[in-house]
Coordinates of all heavy atoms in Angstrom, one line a residue:
K83 N 87.2 81.5 85.5 CA 87.1 81.1 84.1 C 85.7 81.2 83.5 O 85.5 81.8 82.4 CB 87.6 79.6 83.9 CG 89.1 79.5 84.0 CD 89.5 78.0 84.1 CE 88.9 77.1 83.1 NZ 89.3 75.7 83.3
S95 N 87.5 76.9 75.6 CA 88.0 76.2 76.7 C 89.3 76.8 77.2 O 89.6 76.8 78.4 CB 88.2 74.7 76.4 OG 89.1 74.6 75.4
K249 N 94.6 78.5 69.5 CA 95.2 77.4 70.3 C 96.0 76.5 69.5 O 97.1 76.1 69.8 CB 94.1 76.6 71.0 CG 94.5 75.5 71.8 CD 93.4 74.7 72.5 CE 93.9 73.5 73.3 NZ 92.7 72.8 73.9
Y253 N 100.0 75.6 69.9 CA 100.4 74.2 70.2 C 101.2 73.6 69.1 O 101.7 72.4 69.3 CB 99.2 73.4 70.6 CG 98.7 73.5 72.0 CD1 98.1 74.7 72.5 CD2 98.8 72.5 72.9 CE1 97.7 74.9 73.8 CE2 98.4 72.6 74.2 CZ 97.9 73.8 74.7 OH 97.4 74.0 76.0
A270 N 97.7 77.0 80.6 CA 96.5 76.3 80.3 C 96.3 75.1 81.3 O 95.2 74.8 81.8 CB 96.5 75.8 78.9
N271 N 97.4 74.4 81.5 CA 97.4 73.3 82.4 C 97.1 73.7 83.8 O 96.2 73.1 84.5 CB 98.7 72.5 82.4 CG 98.8 71.4 83.4 OD1 99.3 71.6 84.5 ND2 98.2 70.3 83.1
F272 N 97.8 74.8 84.3 CA 97.6 75.2 85.7 C 96.2 75.7 85.9 O 95.6 75.6 87.0 CB 98.6 76.4 85.9 CG 98.7 76.7 87.4 CD1 98.8 75.7 88.3 CD2 98.8 78.0 87.8 CE1 99.0 76.0 89.7 CE2 98.9 78.3 89.1 CZ 99.0 77.4 90.1
W273 N 95.5 76.3 84.9 CA 94.1 76.8 85.0 C 93.1 75.7 84.6 O 91.9 76.0 84.5 CB 93.9 78.0 84.1 CG 94.4 79.2 84.9 CD1 95.7 79.7 84.9 CD2 93.6 80.1 85.6 NE1 95.7 80.8 85.7 CE2 94.5 81.1 86.2 CE3 92.3 80.2 86.0 CZ2 94.0 82.2 87.0 CZ3 91.8 81.2 86.8 CH2 92.7 82.2 87.3
G274 N 93.5 74.4 84.4 CA 92.6 73.4 84.2 C 91.9 73.4 82.8 O 90.8 73.0 82.7
C275 N 92.7 73.9 81.8 CA 92.1 74.1 80.5 C 92.4 72.9 79.5 O 92.0 72.9 78.4 CB 92.6 75.4 79.8 SG 92.2 76.9 80.8
D276 N 93.2 71.9 80.0 CA 93.7 70.9 79.0 C 93.3 69.5 79.5 O 93.8 68.5 78.9 CB 95.2 71.0 78.8 CG 96.0 70.7 80.1 OD1 95.4 70.5 81.2 OD2 97.2 70.8 80.0
D277 N 92.4 69.4 80.5 CA 91.9 68.1 80.9 C 93.0 67.2 81.4 O 92.8 65.9 81.4 CB 91.1 67.4 79.8 CG 89.9 68.2 79.4 OD1 89.2 68.7 80.3 OD2 89.6 68.2 78.2
K278 N 94.1 67.7 81.9 CA 95.2 66.9 82.5 C 95.3 67.4 83.9 O 94.9 68.4 84.3 CB 96.5 67.2 81.7 CG 96.4 66.7 80.3 CD 97.8 67.0 79.6 CE 97.7 66.6 78.1 NZ 99.0 67.0 77.4
P279 N 96.0 66.5 84.7 CA 96.2 66.9 86.1 C 97.0 68.2 86.2 O 98.0 68.4 85.4 CB 97.0 65.7 86.7 CG 96.7 64.6 85.8 CD 96.4 65.1 84.5
R280 N 96.6 69.1 87.1 CA 97.3 70.4 87.2 C 98.7 70.3 87.7 O 98.9 69.5 88.7 CB 96.5 71.4 88.0 CG 95.0 71.6 87.5 CD 94.4 72.8 88.2 NE 93.0 72.7 88.2 CZ 92.1 73.7 88.1 NH1 92.7 74.9 88.1 NH2 90.8 73.6 88.1

Side-chain angles (χ1 to χ4, degrees):
K83 284 166 52 181
S95 60
K249 178 181 178 180
Y253 278 67
N271 172 264
F272 194 44
W273 277 83
C275 301
D276 62 2
D277 298 322
K278 297 178 182 178
R280 301 195 203 211

